[in-house]
Amino acid sequence: MQRLSGLGVSSGIAIGRAVCIETRTEEIYRFPLAAEELDGEVERFERAIEAAHDEILRLRDKVEKQMGDDLAAVFEAHALFLRDAGFVRRIVARIREEQVNAEWAVHRTIEELGEQFAAMEDDYLRERREDLRDVAHQLLRSLQGTSHHELSDLEGDVVVFADLLTPSDTLRLGRGKVVGFVMETGGKTSHTTIIARSLKLPAITGLPGVLAQVTDEDPVILDGDSGCVILHPTKEVLADYRRRQIDWARRDRELMATCALPARTADGVDLELMANIDLPEEMHDVQRYGATGIGLYRSEFLYIERSPEQPSEEDHYQLYRQLVEVTAPHPAIIRTYDLGGRKLASELTNIHEENPVLGLRGIRLTLAKPEVFKPQIRALYRAAVHGNLWAMIPLVSTLEEVEQFRSYAASVADDLARQGVEHRRDLPIGIMIEVPAAALIADRLAREVDFFSIGTNDLIQYSLAVDRGNEHVANLYQPLHPGLLRMLRFVINSADDAGIPVSVCGEVASDVRVAPLLVGLGLRRLSMSPRAVGRIKSRLRALRISELEEIAQHCLDFGTASEVSAYLDRALTKKVSLGTNP
Ligand code: PEP
Ligand code: MG
């Protein structure tokens, strides 16, 4: 038996067998070859073509059986591509003329072809770039001799061990037989871990090199609360964790028991604890865990899940209508796609960004590609007829972005009116405050929008210059940094002065230590993963606003996060033990 200790990022206990997945594509290097090596390299390339071709045909047969002819045709097209004499000749010529390794020749040729596809007028042909990428991927895999798991092949209670997973990998895997995730890298607020939580699957990150220690089929246990991974558990340990699994489920039910209690402080101030929803099926958790509405629906996961298809206006409308009906009379705050950054929808942008997290993301992408967002915006106006729907824009950094969005949204509403389609024109439009510059002009922004929601996941990332998914700088990802607290205070005051609602929807809202501080800073509305509502409610019910305000004021005067943290622990422990709630 072997115990490994990582960072628990999604709670719960999983027991299963390991399946290892390497997702990081190898870096592709250019190696100069000597003239006498070229024949051998061409032969290696030709063998890889054969292997990739066989693999694609195998996939085609499987897909055909499971999903029918239409999807199988996609693989057919990929196989034909590999048989295309012009394509093969071009790569062989590159190997010989440039005297380079086959990987490089494939990579460069695919890039060149991709650029030609991207420049095509015809939408259909332009979109074939994706196919080209898939073919390249397959070819590079077989060149590099990397075997891989077909994600949908996984069976039984599988614990996925991976170097790195994208949010969409996690989504796809989590919908299958997977019972838990262990990843070498990733932080608590990365979107991959947020999705693991939404899927209610335990997850552990921060275990560099773990893939080298685990073999497929190894029996494993993972405890997403403590961050502990146990390989080859003994019978006794296994029995112990099976008991803990039952206890965990019982605690979950107990949390639900707090649903009926009002979210009210010990001195009678009402609070609103709302739910963050990433996946449509979570809408039922809103009531189950006693949340008052949806404070953030991350609509981009609908897009990611359907990709390469795009959700239609009707898809959006039906879903949003359900969301507002489930949350009525409370609001359902629906955020327009926050694509880009690490949630890159490559079919949307035909560009390569060196640093996508500082690139075409959120509202920037909306304004760059408004036609992609049109069905979504039309659906928001239409669904608003059925309940309390608020629309929210991500990653705003300037006033102009708000003006441009408003004017685009107004033109969409004009179209609906002209077409006689039922809609609600005065739907509240708010923004995420998650860029430091936006936080610092919150007083000006507050005059232009109907509400704020503070996205601390990104606000911390951008204000402390710390990648939220990078465990190497996780110690600098400091939610209690006084600089951040001062920014929060300014945003909250600006919203209060302008008389608009303000909430926090970042992960800090579900932290039992930070949530009371947020309330002390003036927030009355927090949005968090539904399962956290009970825990936060119990904690806040034991505290008094007047005391929390005093604590928050004190925190603003410290110079470091560790001072804030130590003080907060002392102060809150004292107050919680004194707290009562009628
Ligand atoms: C945030 O940045 O805090 C937020 C809620 O948005 P996301 O986590 O989707 O970036
Ligand atoms: Mg964000």
Side-chain angles (χ1 to χ4, degrees):
M1 186 169 95
Q2 189 185 0
R3 278 177 197 268
L4 308 170
S5 181
L7 178 69
V9 291
S10 178
S11 115
I13 288 166
I15 299 175
R17 60 186 182 87
V19 168
C20 303
I21 299 179
E22 290 224 36
T23 58
R24 230 178 257 142
T25 41
E26 300 280 336
E27 293 281 355
I28 297 159
Y29 295 104
R30 182 184 195 282
F31 288 110
L33 298 181
E36 62 274 18
E37 290 176 286
L38 295 178
D39 283 348
E41 191 64 5
V42 169
E43 269 173 39
R44 190 170 79 89
F45 167 65
E46 285 168 351
R47 277 199 308 275
I49 286 264
E50 286 310 313
H53 188 257
D54 291 350
E55 175 66 8
I56 289 176
L57 291 186
R58 195 186 66 77
L59 284 173
R60 181 206 56 191
D61 291 345
K62 203 169 136 209
V63 167
E64 190 166 30
K65 252 189 243 131
Q66 291 177 355
M67 305 193 216
D69 296 352
D70 284 359
L71 272 178
V74 173
F75 292 93
E76 194 79 63
H78 291 181
L80 279 176
F81 216 113
L82 285 176
R83 281 279 182 256
D84 183 88
F87 174 66
V88 174
R89 221 180 303 121
R90 207 162 157 160
I91 296 173
V92 171
R94 180 165 245 131
I95 295 174
R96 292 196 181 282
E97 282 159 23
E98 294 182 20
Q99 302 207 339
V100 286
N101 53 325
E103 283 89 344
W104 183 257
V106 169
H107 167 69
R108 284 294 304 137
T109 307
I110 295 278
E111 271 206 343
E112 261 174 27
L113 288 172
E115 279 159 23
Q116 288 167 12
F117 272 88
M120 286 181 183
E121 292 286 353
D122 185 317
D123 279 353
Y124 176 80
L125 288 176
R126 208 170 45 237
E127 281 159 19
R128 299 285 65 75
R129 233 159 63 100
E130 277 300 301
D131 294 347
L132 197 60
R133 254 188 236 135
D134 285 348
V135 170
H137 202 59
Q138 198 72 51
L139 199 46
L140 287 170
R141 265 186 205 283
S142 64
L143 268 174
Q144 293 163 344
T146 359
S147 70
H148 73 290
H149 282 274
E150 200 34 56
L151 302 186
S152 51
D153 282 349
L154 302 180
E155 283 195 1
D157 284 348
V158 166
V159 174
V160 168
F161 282 73
D163 41 5
L164 180 75
L165 291 174
T166 63
S168 54
D169 289 335
T170 317
L171 206 47
R172 254 178 305 145
L173 287 162
R175 293 249 192 262
K177 304 278 172 49
V178 169
V179 294
F181 294 101
V182 178
M183 284 167 279
E184 295 196 340
T185 60
K188 230 178 188 140
T189 64
S190 67
H191 285 105
T192 297
T193 55
I194 288 175
I195 283 294
R197 285 200 285 274
S198 295
L199 291 164
K200 300 191 179 62
L201 293 176
I204 293 174
T205 65
L207 281 168
V210 71
L211 277 181
Q213 293 170 271
V214 186
T215 316
D216 285 343
E217 301 291 334
D218 278 354
V220 298
I221 295 175
L222 64 98
D223 179 344
D225 295 277
S226 69
C228 175
V229 178
I230 303 173
L231 304 175
H232 298 286
T234 60
K235 264 203 195 107
E236 294 72 33
V237 169
L238 198 59
D240 178 33
Y241 273 89
R242 291 218 186 278
R243 268 194 304 275
R244 291 193 201 196
Q245 235 178 356
I246 295 170
D247 281 352
W248 194 92
R250 184 182 41 75
R251 278 204 308 279
D252 197 51
R253 283 194 302 277
E254 281 168 9
L255 276 180
M256 282 186 218
T258 58
C259 290
L261 296 174
R264 184 173 296 148
T265 60
D267 49 353
V269 175
D270 284 324
L271 304 168
E272 281 174 74
L273 303 185
M274 307 177 82
N276 286 354
I277 298 292
D278 306 319
L279 310 173
E281 63 260 35
E282 286 181 283
M283 76 173 86
H284 307 292
D285 290 341
V286 178
Q287 274 178 346
R288 189 181 300 154
Y289 289 101
T292 43
I294 295 174
L296 167 66
Y297 169 58
R298 291 183 169 95
S299 70
E300 58 274 13
F301 289 113
L302 182 70
Y303 183 97
I304 289 172
E305 204 165 8
R306 297 278 171 91
S307 180
E309 301 282 308
Q310 288 197 14
S312 66
E313 176 181 329
E314 204 53 28
D315 294 334
H316 286 292
Y317 168 71
Q318 292 299 345
L319 174 60
Y320 301 164
R321 182 174 175 169
Q322 274 182 292
L323 293 181
V324 291
E325 286 174 353
V326 163
T327 57
H330 307 293
I333 303 182
I334 297 173
R335 179 170 80 181
T336 53
Y337 298 147
D338 184 9
L339 288 165
R342 294 237 168 69
K343 292 176 287 190
L344 190 67
S346 50
E347 58 269 39
L348 268 181
T349 56
N350 288 326
I351 51 167
H352 168 75
E353 293 181 289
E354 268 314 315
N355 194 349
V357 174
L358 298 182
L360 208 49
R361 188 194 150 181
I363 180 66
R364 304 168 185 184
L365 192 59
T366 316
L367 297 175
K369 300 260 173 199
E371 68 286 1
V372 174
F373 290 74
K374 196 173 200 164
Q376 175 171 47
I377 297 171
R378 283 175 63 95
L380 286 169
Y381 278 118
R382 289 176 54 202
V385 171
H386 304 284
N388 198 356
L389 188 152
W390 301 9
M392 179 156 75
I393 332 172
L395 210 83
V396 167
S397 51
T398 69
L399 267 166
E400 288 92 333
E401 285 167 341
V402 175
E403 282 157 17
Q404 285 164 24
F405 181 86
R406 277 197 172 282
S407 104
Y408 179 63
S411 75
V412 173
D414 289 344
D415 285 349
L416 288 167
R418 246 193 321 273
Q419 293 158 359
V421 180
E422 196 185 9
H423 66 289
R424 190 182 138 202
R425 199 183 171 100
D426 63 347
L427 123 119
I429 296 181
I431 58 172
M432 298 276 301
I433 299 283
E434 47 188 353
V435 175
L440 295 172
I441 55 162
D443 50 340
R444 304 297 308 274
L445 285 164
R447 295 182 212 154
E448 308 301 325
V449 301
D450 300 312
F451 65 94
F452 285 160
S453 187
I454 309 175
T456 45
N457 301 340
D458 278 314
L459 190 58
I460 298 169
Q461 155 165 275
Y462 293 124
S463 54
L464 289 162
V466 173
D467 180 345
R468 63 195 263 192
N470 181 345
E471 71 283 2
H472 301 294
V473 284
N475 62 328
L476 288 170
Y477 191 90
Q478 298 176 339
L480 295 177
H481 191 294
L484 181 83
L485 302 184
R486 289 176 190 205
M487 238 185 282
L488 292 181
R489 164 72 123 211
F490 180 69
V491 175
I492 298 163
N493 286 350
S494 302
D496 288 348
D497 290 348
I500 62 167
V502 55
S503 64
V504 160
C505 62
E507 295 302 302
V508 293
S510 50
D511 184 319
V512 278
R513 258 173 8 131
V514 188
L517 174 56
L518 296 175
V519 173
L521 286 169
L523 282 161
R524 296 293 174 264
R525 188 186 279 244
L526 303 174
S527 190
M528 62 199 76
S529 101
R531 205 176 169 269
V533 169
R535 201 164 16 107
I536 297 297
K537 196 191 283 185
S538 312
R539 168 57 67 110
L540 293 171
R541 281 175 57 83
L543 294 161
R544 295 174 178 278
I545 286 284
S546 53
E547 292 161 350
L548 290 180
E549 282 172 352
E550 210 181 293
I551 292 175
Q553 188 55 46
H554 218 83
C555 288
L556 288 166
D557 292 334
F558 288 113
T560 66
S562 53
E563 286 169 305
V564 174
S565 172
Y567 165 74
L568 203 52
D569 279 345
R570 274 197 317 276
L572 285 178
T573 318
K574 214 156 54 195
K575 303 295 181 205
V576 168
S577 57
L578 295 175
T580 50
N581 199 318

